[in-house]
Amino acid sequence: IEPPDWSKRYLTHEGKAEQASKARSEKLKSEIIPNTQPSHPLQNYLGTYHHPGYGSLKVEAIKSSEEKDEPISYDAHFNLIGLTLKHVHYDTFEAASPFGAWTRLTFLSDEDGRISAVCASTEANVPPMVFERMVEAPTPEALKSCAGAYHLDGGQEVLLILSPSGQLNLQLPEQSPLDLKPVSEDTFQTIGYPRIKITLLKNGSIEILHPNGLFVAERK
C-alpha cells in the first residue's frame, strides 16, 4: 500500500484551520462597538474573582499606554497563567496569554452598581462560567464584635450569629438563620434568597435593607 503523505495532509489541515481561525478573528473585530469606555473607573476592576471549579482570576494592575489609540489594558493571572486584558467594548475585555488568545471576559455589576463578577467562556462546550468577586473577609475579631442581639423599633429581636466555623448568619424574627457574605468593609448580604443587606452603622446599630422595607435595629 502506498504510504500516505502525512506531512502534506497535516499541512493542509493546519492551513485550513489557520484560515478559519483568522476569519473568526476578523469577524469578531468587525463586531466590536467603537468609541466605547468601561462603565466603571478603571481601578474598580482590580481584584480577585473566584470560581469553585476553575480557580481564581486576579486582575492586578492597569497597564499605562503612551499611545492614545491603544486600548485600555490590565495585567492579570488566571491561576498560574499570566494574562493581558485589553478593552474591547463596554465592560468586555479580551484576555491573551503567552500561549495565544484565550477568551473574552465580561465584567458584571450588581444592582448597587458594584462590579460583582466576571463572566468567561473557559470551555467551548459549556455555558460561560461566572467568577464571583472576592471581598476581603473581616477579621475574626471584627465578626465577633458585631455578633449579638439587636432590637427593632417594635421590640422584635434580630440576631447576628457567628458560627464556630466563622460564618456570620442573620436571624430575623420567627425565621431560620440566613448565611451572610461581605460585599464591602461594613456591609453584608444574604448568600441566598430573599436578598437582604445588613450595614453596620458607626453608632453600633445595624441597618437592614429588606424586600419589605428599610429597618434599623439597635444593639441590645
Side-chain angles (χ1 to χ4, degrees):
I1 299 175
E2 185 70 23
D5 188 342
W6 292 111
S7 179
K8 183 179 179 180
R9 283 193 188 183
Y10 180 78
L11 289 173
T12 300
H13 173 77
E14 284 298 295
K16 290 180 178 179
E18 187 176 350
Q19 286 180 347
S21 179
K22 286 182 178 180
R24 178 182 180 274
S25 296
E26 292 302 318
K27 177 65 175 176
L28 290 175
K29 286 180 182 179
S30 71
E31 294 177 346
I32 292 176
I33 302 171
N35 304 319
T36 63
Q37 296 293 327
S39 64
H40 295 261
L42 301 184
Q43 199 74 18
N44 289 14
Y45 295 85
L46 302 178
T48 300
Y49 304 80
H50 182 74
H51 185 278
Y54 283 83
S56 294
L57 173 67
K58 187 174 184 180
V59 183
E60 297 171 302
I62 304 168
K63 296 181 71 175
S64 60
S65 173
E66 297 179 359
E67 297 294 333
K68 188 175 180 181
D69 294 333
E70 278 290 310
I72 298 162
S73 61
Y74 295 84
D75 282 332
H77 273 86
F78 175 55
N79 295 321
L80 298 178
I81 302 173
L83 299 174
T84 298
L85 307 186
K86 286 192 174 182
H87 185 245
V88 176
H89 48 220
Y90 300 117
D91 287 331
T92 296
F93 292 74
E94 185 177 84
S97 77
F99 310 106
W102 186 52
T103 187
R104 281 187 176 181
L105 308 175
T106 299
F107 290 86
L108 309 177
S109 299
D110 62 18
E111 60 188 11
D112 295 319
R114 287 188 294 259
I115 297 176
S116 59
V118 62
C119 189
S121 297
T122 55
E123 169 57 51
N125 296 318
V126 296
M129 300 292 177
V130 176
F131 290 70
E132 298 284 344
R133 184 168 200 158
M134 304 298 292
V135 177
E136 186 174 352
T139 63
E141 292 77 15
L143 289 174
K144 189 175 180 179
S145 68
C146 69
Y150 298 79
H151 276 176
L152 294 168
D153 189 36
Q156 293 177 303
E157 190 175 65
V158 173
L159 298 177
L160 288 181
I161 305 168
L162 186 62
S163 72
S165 65
Q167 173 65 55
L168 190 65
N169 299 280
L170 167 69
Q171 184 166 11
L172 297 175
E174 301 178 4
Q175 294 187 24
S176 300
L178 299 168
D179 291 342
L180 295 171
K181 65 177 181 180
V183 293
S184 70
E185 184 179 355
D186 57 2
T187 303
F188 296 81
Q189 181 176 289
T190 51
I191 294 175
Y193 286 91
R195 279 281 186 254
I196 302 170
K197 190 184 299 177
I198 302 295
T199 301
L200 306 176
L201 303 179
K202 292 182 179 180
N203 64 3
S205 303
I206 59 172
E207 183 181 78
I208 305 169
L209 184 61
H210 190 278
N212 294 335
L214 179 64
F215 308 93
V216 174
E218 295 183 357
R219 191 73 180 253
K220 183 177 179 180

